[in-house]
Amino acid sequence: MMSMIENEVGDTNMNYEQAGTEGRTPTAPVQDFFSRFEQLIINQLNTMKDQNRSHHQYCETHFQFIETQVEDIQSKIGTMFFPPDD
């Protein structure tokens, strides 16, 4: 169990060290700032954030499709009751 935690901690350190370091001086490893538990929580929160973003995009896409369908139906019903003047 400990090796899995250490792997996740190592991955987290690598991600933080790689993020936004281009053209900057090297900073202290993240491990100095966060405990293992905090790093695991950060990983879980990032995963939840990504899942939430994905779900939001999925819902937005489907609601846009439904909105398009409703507008099409409204247009067809409108032409039934109020035919266009030719």
Side-chain angles (χ1 to χ4, degrees):
M1 182 83 177
M2 199 60 165
S3 63
M4 185 173 73
I5 292 172
E6 290 172 0
N7 287 339
E8 289 182 21
V9 170
D11 292 342
T12 302
N13 288 340
M14 184 183 249
N15 291 340
Y16 280 113
E17 290 170 1
Q18 291 173 352
T21 58
E22 294 179 24
R24 296 183 184 172
T25 57
T27 58
V30 175
Q31 193 170 11
D32 293 342
F33 298 112
F34 299 113
S35 70
R36 289 182 182 169
F37 175 75
E38 289 170 328
Q39 290 173 349
L40 289 174
I41 295 301
I42 289 170
N43 285 343
Q44 290 177 352
L45 289 172
N46 285 335
T47 300
M48 289 171 55
K49 178 187 70 169
D50 293 340
Q51 290 172 343
N52 187 27
R53 180 178 292 130
S54 175
H55 181 70
H56 175 76
Q57 290 172 346
Y58 172 83
C59 291
E60 185 177 30
T61 300
H62 283 79
F63 279 121
Q64 287 174 351
F65 175 75
I66 291 170
E67 183 178 1
T68 303
Q69 295 295 318
V70 168
E71 288 173 356
D72 186 43
I73 292 169
Q74 286 175 338
S75 174
K76 288 178 182 178
I77 290 174
T79 57
M80 285 174 41
F81 291 107
F82 304 104
D85 295 330
D86 291 326

